[in-house]
Amino acid sequence: MDTSKFLDFLASGRAWTMRNRTKALAFGVIQDYMSSWLAGDRNSDRHYFTRRTLKVALYESIVGVTIGQVLSGLLAKLFEGSTSFEARVLQVVLGYIIIIPIENTCSQIAMALIDDTYESIKEVEIEIMPTLKPTLVMHLVCSLLAPGFEPDDWITLFDNAWLMLSIYNNGLIKRKRLAAFKSTAYQGRLWQRSNTV
């Protein structure tokens, strides 16, 4: 495997999805639909495909991709002209500890706002670490598996891994939000009952 070429691939950020906004749009639809199915999150018509699904897809295609491109571009400018092995490794590491957490944070805030209103942020504390840890592990595992694939297959490997991870993370967040909503609704009914007795 060409180590230099692979480091360039990793240093480019989430380039596998960012190269194609149409692909990001499709991934947004799939991940929201599947995570809703996993969490049992349906609309009033008992459907998993909702307006929220389209909003999530638009976010991934327009905002999410742009955030990734801007952050990766700034990091690339920081290392512009540095072609040594050490510089490439440092660029990859900085991408893991800076870009990925920022992308995760922006995504979670956006999902909370899309979900309902600002109330969804107040109801459920947005936790970064539960979704950040699996993301970093996914990158590490894919990086270890990549040498067994041809360079042309790296994008497919990371694409599929990222999609499955997004479904898992969003499913966890939706399940937590649903639990908080049900708990709040139950407490509200108890309060109304106590005031009518």
Side-chain angles (χ1 to χ4, degrees), residues 3 5 28 92 124 132-133 153 159-160 167 171 183 187 195-196:
T3 304
K5 186 175 182 180
V92 172
V124 181
L132 180 59
K133 289 178 181 178
D153 295 328
D159 263 345
N160 292 331
I167 292 171
S183 175
Q187 291 173 6
N195 281 272
T196 55

Side-chain angles (χ1 to χ4, degrees), residues 33-153:
Y33 182 88
M34 292 302 298
S35 61
S36 294
W37 176 74
L38 287 175
D41 185 11
R42 305 183 189 185
N43 62 9
S44 57
D45 296 323
R46 309 292 291 170
H47 294 153
Y48 295 114
F49 188 89
T50 65
R51 294 180 188 174
R52 182 184 188 280
T53 304
L54 297 177
K55 292 177 181 178
V56 170
L58 289 174
Y59 168 82
E60 289 293 341
S61 179
I62 300 173
V63 182
V65 168
T66 302
I67 290 174
Q69 287 177 337
V70 170
L71 293 175
S72 297
L74 291 174
L75 190 60
K77 283 186 178 180
L78 182 64
F79 286 88
E80 192 172 6
S82 302
T83 58
S84 66
F85 176 80
E86 292 78 8
R88 277 294 182 235
V89 170
L90 181 58
Q91 185 175 350
V92 172
V93 171
L94 288 178
Y96 282 178
I97 65 177
I98 296 176
I99 294 179
I100 291 177
I102 292 176
E103 286 183 326
N104 275 20
T105 303
C106 292
S107 178
Q108 287 193 42
I109 292 174
M111 295 308 107
L113 290 172
I114 289 172
D115 192 49
D116 272 320
T117 62
Y118 182 71
E119 292 297 320
S120 58
I121 292 182
K122 294 194 293 184
E123 289 291 340
V124 181
E125 178 185 358
I126 297 177
E127 299 177 359
I128 304 304
M129 291 309 295
T131 57
L132 180 59
K133 289 178 181 178
T135 303
L136 294 175
V137 170
M138 182 275 289
H139 276 270
L140 177 60
V141 171
C142 286
S143 298
L144 294 174
L145 292 176
F149 292 80
E150 294 295 326
D152 291 341
D153 295 328

Side-chain angles (χ1 to χ4, degrees), residues 1-10 16 19 142-143 145-161:
M1 183 186 71
D2 188 338
T3 304
S4 178
K5 186 175 182 180
F6 183 59
L7 286 176
D8 287 342
F9 174 79
L10 292 178
W16 47 94
R19 289 174 183 168
C142 286
S143 298
L145 292 176
F149 292 80
E150 294 295 326
D152 291 341
D153 295 328
W154 291 343
I155 292 179
T156 302
L157 171 66
F158 278 81
D159 263 345
N160 292 331

Side-chain angles (χ1 to χ4, degrees), residues 8-42:
D8 287 342
F9 174 79
L10 292 178
S12 64
R14 192 152 56 100
W16 47 94
T17 298
M18 292 192 301
R19 289 174 183 168
N20 192 328
R21 289 183 184 271
T22 304
K23 182 187 290 184
L25 186 71
F27 274 27
V29 171
I30 295 171
Q31 66 158 294
D32 189 74
Y33 182 88
M34 292 302 298
S35 61
S36 294
W37 176 74
L38 287 175
D41 185 11
R42 305 183 189 185

